[in-house]
Amino acid sequence: MKPTDEQTAAADVFSVGDHLALQAGAGTGKTTTLTLLARATDRHGRYLAYNRAIAQDARTRFPDTVQCKTAHALAYAAVGHRYTRRLNAPRRPAWQTGQALGITKALRIGDREVAQKALSNATLRTVTRFCHTADEEITRHHVPRLRGLEDAGLHAELAAHIIPFARKAWADLQHPDDGCVRFDHDHYLKIWALTWPRIQADFLLLDEAQDTNPVVEQIFLAQRDHAQLVMVGDSAQAIYHWRGAKDVMTGFDGTQLALSESFRFGPDLAAEANRWLHLADAPIRLTGTPALATELGPVTQPDAVLCRTNVGAMAQVMTLMAAGYRVALAGGGDSLQALALAARDLKEGRRTHHPELILFPCWGDLQDYAAHDPAGRDLQPLVNLVDTHGTDAILTAVARLTPELHAQVTVSTAHKAKGREWPRVLIADDFARPHDNTADGHTDTTTPPDPIDDAEARLAYVAVTRTRQRLDLGGLSWIHDHPDGTPP
């Protein structure tokens, strides 16, 4: 294909050696553009991929002058290989690790008793969260907030107890041969980052820059003095803030350009995407390819159903299976199985190790929290699903999932759908609608509904741009009646 004007502009900036941030909207050919840059020079570069699958695909597309790896692969070659014995160590329960670190008894905080198992789990999660940051030592803000202990004072009390054990765990992880904490890939990445590594390359290409962990951002930006930096991504697809990811594009010190012509869909779908881009206050707007007649309307036999949550995805799986479809679940059913097993433990009067539910002594306690505590509102769909179908039915459905290659329909969360596309897509009904102001069951037409959260708008943008042929807005159709739904 002949390069577009936008791709040519990016190539011109790259050729003169300027640092470059390239905002690339959904389906605008960002990888094609990066290979265009790489093939236009005989300099040697590195392409930093978001995951291993993307790195493997990139190796087939980039010239031999560009090494395509993840940040983890670079870290493994530098320091991670020293920890091979620990990486291959058998799994052990978090409570055993906690015991080895000195966590031997429960802790009373407020009206909650935090069991030894919950404290051990929180300690290991603290270390993981630290590993995703650019920080040099473990502090209070790395300690996760536990359900039922969201209050700032209660969390501070928890953190004061956890931090010494988390620091002891991090010290344990420095030993290459043996230790009580199970060593994983994020640990050697952080150990490498703390050495302030220098990556030998003439230029670096950072993909999916909008979802970069601060630890990778730190490594990337530290190469500025000796390598040309190029980052590419879509700020409107920054949907992983909840797990520590950071959009490093908008504040980047370099030339800012955009790719706005989508080769995935036509003008009508581009207009729908732009509605959500406006709501997300995104820096770009898209145009569709006129030759692609992507439609918006009802879809009775979708190739994919996209959901807001894992629980919403499980509900869709069960509905579609009941209708006789062979159903696949993007990413597999492990997380849903874990939730169902945790719910079964609580219903049978046992505590669970699941990090989301670890503080609840029984199912009734969780039901009460989900129904009456504002912080637990997002757990209500799980409670409803379990109370309606039972845990055995959920576990049976997970066991009946079909591999995507042989499925009639794939169910996915919008998060797991990022980077993918299907011919016909249906948006499920669990996408959040801003609360209408109601009184006594009647809508108050004089007071407008809540404004649309920009994080929800970004997630909706990801969802609506996964289709090539036809999109059923389904659970996002409420946007037509929202006062902010039509961009100026």
Side-chain angles (χ1 to χ4, degrees):
M1 290 175 60
K2 180 184 176 184
T4 65
D5 291 344
E6 291 175 326
Q7 290 171 328
T8 300
D12 290 343
V13 169
F14 181 73
S15 66
V16 298
D18 290 351
H19 300 307
L20 172 63
L22 194 57
Q23 288 280 356
T28 56
K30 64 183 176 67
T31 307
T32 302
T33 305
L34 291 179
T35 56
L36 174 74
L37 305 186
R39 292 183 184 281
T41 180
D42 56 3
R43 294 181 296 153
H44 290 265
R46 299 283 189 110
Y47 169 86
L48 292 182
Y50 186 68
N51 58 40
R52 187 187 300 177
I54 293 173
Q56 289 172 338
D57 177 67
R59 287 185 197 114
T60 67
R61 306 173 70 169
F62 279 90
D64 293 339
T65 51
V66 177
Q67 286 189 6
C68 303
K69 292 186 175 183
T70 64
H72 283 87
L74 294 178
Y76 183 83
V79 301
H81 65 276
R82 302 175 197 157
Y83 296 85
T84 303
R85 280 184 59 184
R86 293 192 66 173
L87 275 168
N88 295 326
R91 290 185 179 275
R92 64 189 306 190
W95 68 265
Q96 283 187 2
T97 302
Q99 211 166 48
L101 291 169
I103 304 172
T104 56
K105 57 186 180 181
L107 176 70
R108 191 81 186 177
I109 300 180
D111 61 355
R112 296 271 181 188
E113 180 177 279
V114 189
Q116 186 268 354
K117 291 180 179 180
L119 292 171
S120 301
N121 188 295
T123 298
L124 297 182
R125 288 171 65 199
T126 298
V127 174
T128 298
R129 287 160 63 98
F130 164 67
C131 288
H132 293 163
T133 70
D135 302 332
E136 294 193 359
E137 65 175 22
I138 294 171
T139 59
R140 177 169 144 183
H141 75 272
H142 300 123
V143 179
R145 294 188 178 273
L146 299 186
R147 296 275 188 184
L149 297 179
E150 292 91 352
D151 176 79
L154 298 178
H155 180 261
E157 197 174 334
L158 174 70
H161 187 79
I162 291 287
I163 287 171
F165 294 113
R167 289 176 176 169
K168 188 174 180 181
W170 181 243
D172 175 275
L173 289 164
Q174 307 310 302
H175 303 294
D177 296 322
D178 196 21
C180 66
V181 182
R182 188 168 191 271
F183 196 94
D184 70 28
H185 299 280
D186 283 344
H187 295 146
Y188 66 70
L189 176 63
K190 181 63 176 177
I191 290 170
W192 182 55
L194 288 171
T195 68
W196 289 92
R198 177 186 174 97
I199 300 174
Q200 296 298 333
D202 298 316
F203 61 89
L204 288 177
L205 309 174
L206 177 64
D207 200 0
E208 300 288 353
Q210 79 284 348
D211 283 325
T212 301
N213 280 341
V215 64
V216 177
E217 175 197 10
Q218 175 197 48
I219 294 166
F220 178 76
L221 294 181
Q223 315 307 313
R224 170 182 285 272
D225 290 341
H226 71 273
Q228 182 184 10
L229 304 184
V230 178
M231 56 173 60
V232 63
D234 185 352
S235 291
Q237 292 191 52
I239 58 175
Y240 285 109
H241 288 173
W242 53 276
R243 71 178 191 194
K246 179 183 174 186
D247 175 19
V248 302
M249 298 194 66
T250 47
F252 180 62
D253 182 14
T255 303
Q256 301 270 346
L257 294 178
L259 300 176
S260 62
E261 182 180 350
S262 180
F263 304 106
R264 181 180 298 160
F265 44 73
D268 289 348
L269 200 285
E272 183 60 39
N274 287 338
R275 183 207 307 271
W276 299 101
L277 287 169
H278 165 73
L279 292 168
D281 197 24
I284 60 170
R285 299 293 182 268
L286 297 180
T287 59
T289 300
L292 299 176
T294 313
E295 302 172 332
L296 281 81
V299 173
T300 54
Q301 292 186 310
D303 299 288
V305 179
L306 303 187
C307 306
R308 172 68 179 82
T309 63
N310 282 320
V311 174
M314 191 68 247
Q316 285 292 328
V317 165
M318 297 181 76
T319 299
L320 289 163
M321 283 183 175
Y325 287 93
R326 295 190 307 277
V327 185
L329 183 65
D334 289 352
S335 60
L336 290 167
Q337 183 183 47
L339 269 174
L341 290 170
R344 187 168 71 183
D345 283 343
L346 292 176
K347 286 177 76 70
E348 294 176 357
R350 297 187 300 271
R351 282 188 176 269
T352 174
H353 299 167
H354 196 288
E356 279 292 286
L357 310 179
I358 200 165
L359 287 190
F360 299 101
C362 64
W363 185 249
D365 201 40
L366 175 59
Q367 286 174 313
D368 183 65
Y369 176 79
H372 303 298
D373 192 318
R377 188 176 293 147
D378 62 315
L379 289 175
Q380 192 62 56
L382 170 65
V383 171
N384 293 341
L385 184 72
V386 171
D387 286 345
T388 301
H389 298 283
T391 55
D392 288 347
I394 297 170
L395 292 167
T396 299
V398 170
R400 289 178 53 208
L401 288 168
T402 303
E404 283 197 56
L405 194 62
H406 306 294
Q408 293 169 288
V409 57
T410 296
V411 176
S412 176
T413 63
H415 285 93
K416 289 191 174 73
K418 197 157 79 76
R420 303 191 59 184
E421 58 185 56
W422 293 271
R424 297 178 302 278
V425 172
L426 167 66
I427 306 296
D429 58 8
D430 67 334
F431 273 82
R433 177 175 187 146
H435 297 291
D436 291 322
N437 295 285
T438 58
D440 300 325
H442 299 288
T443 300
D444 177 6
T445 55
T446 63
T447 306
D450 291 349
I452 298 167
D453 180 73
D454 63 343
E456 294 296 327
R458 289 195 299 271
L459 196 62
Y461 163 68
V462 170
V464 302
T465 54
R466 298 307 97 197
T467 191
R468 295 193 302 270
Q469 296 177 8
R470 190 173 178 90
L471 171 70
D472 187 336
L473 264 181
L476 287 171
S477 296
W478 53 262
I479 191 63
H480 296 301
D481 301 320
H482 196 280
D484 297 335
T486 304

